[in-house]
Amino acid sequence: MTQDSRALAEEFDVPHALMERFVNRFSPKLVAPDSFRADADTMLFVHIPKTAGMSVGRSFQETFDIFRGVHWQDVVKSFRNQTREAIYLQSQGRARQVIMGHYGWPELQVWRNHEMPMKCGTILRDPVARTISNYHYNCSAAHPDNEGFRNRFPTLDAYVQQIPYDVQVTQALGMVCSFENVLTKLINHYTFLGVTEHLSASLAHLARSHGLPKPQEFRENIGKASEDEAPPADLIKHIEARCHNDRKLHSLLMRLYATN
């Protein structure tokens, strides 16, 4: 893999040693089975909106001994409550658990600040597809505040004009100052990264690398926009301009899973 990591380092403009560390830690092809296995532990799984969360959650309920969902209406309180219960059970060496929800980097620091070992994971999606999917979801009856959302953003163009920078990277890692910083923080804090476009392979890699039972894949709440709904090129360019590091990280992960 040395030649591959060197080529990737040149392509993504990062030092070869850093890319090699990243590839060795996250490539489904290179990570040995049971690399992150434990008799009792807790995975902190950052659920980025519109990245097959319902499907992944169903799979996790079958894979882990205990599934702990963080309530989206009160993320901070719910996460801390789930953390307290999880670490108490973990201290007894009795179960493998996962805490999944729309939390992010600030919540992960609760574990870091208390000097507890962290096994973190997340799944990313093509930024353009994720942005469009998120807009349509928020406009639909499935979202509790769909009427208010549609009043604020009557068109996809209005929504795209105000999307934050690097939504996925920021949720998973907080603020970053370079793509090298992205890779370094992931290496230091995460043990699993997947992509929705290779969902089966991602779930299989998680199970294999973490010594978990073979997962069952569910396909829930997964919709695809028709070609007639494709946004104009200038709108796509605007989304891409606000997702620089998201795009690079997703592209890199797609390369790793494509060669699996």
Side-chain angles (χ1 to χ4, degrees), residues 12 25 63 65 105 109 119 136 146 173 176 191 198 248:
F12 288 90
R25 188 168 182 84
T63 303
D65 296 326
W105 185 248
Q109 302 318 296
K119 289 183 179 178
H136 289 307
N146 65 86
L173 297 174
V176 297
T191 58
H198 293 285
K248 289 186 73 171

Side-chain angles (χ1 to χ4, degrees), residues 111-128:
W111 286 66
R112 185 181 182 189
N113 292 341
H114 287 276
E115 299 182 359
M116 294 185 293
M118 295 164 56
K119 289 183 179 178
C120 303
T122 194
I123 289 179
L124 290 91
R125 182 179 179 182
D126 172 77
V128 173

Side-chain angles (χ1 to χ4, degrees), residues 40 66 68 84-95 97:
I66 297 177
R68 301 183 181 276
R84 290 188 186 98
E85 294 183 14
I87 60 177
Y88 181 70
L89 188 59
Q90 181 178 327
S91 71
Q92 301 173 55
R94 292 168 51 185
Q97 307 169 80

Side-chain angles (χ1 to χ4, degrees), residues 174-189:
M175 291 185 289
V176 297
C177 59
S178 67
F179 194 60
E180 289 184 34
N181 191 206
V182 171
L183 300 189
T184 299
K185 291 176 79 170
L186 287 169
I187 292 168
N188 289 341
H189 300 289

Side-chain angles (χ1 to χ4, degrees), residues 161-209:
Q161 297 306 317
Q162 60 76 55
I163 56 173
Y165 298 118
D166 286 330
V167 171
Q168 299 180 78
V169 163
T170 300
Q171 183 176 341
L173 297 174
M175 291 185 289
V176 297
C177 59
S178 67
F179 194 60
E180 289 184 34
N181 191 206
V182 171
L183 300 189
T184 299
K185 291 176 79 170
L186 287 169
I187 292 168
N188 289 341
H189 300 289
Y190 279 72
T191 58
F192 166 76
L193 297 172
V195 286
T196 60
E197 293 84 357
H198 293 285
L199 188 58
S200 294
S202 295
L203 294 174
H205 172 50
L206 172 63
R208 185 173 57 251
S209 61

Side-chain angles (χ1 to χ4, degrees), residues 1 24-25 30 33 57 108 127 129 143 158 176 192 203 211-212 235 248:
M1 191 66 188
N24 287 338
R25 188 168 182 84
L30 295 182
L108 300 184
H143 190 271
V176 297
F192 166 76
L203 294 174
L212 294 162
L235 200 63
K248 289 186 73 171

Side-chain angles (χ1 to χ4, degrees), residues 50 125-135 196-197 239:
K50 307 314 297 176
R125 182 179 179 182
D126 172 77
V128 173
R130 196 209 69 83
T131 300
I132 295 171
S133 177
N134 196 47
Y135 175 77
T196 60
E197 293 84 357
I239 297 173

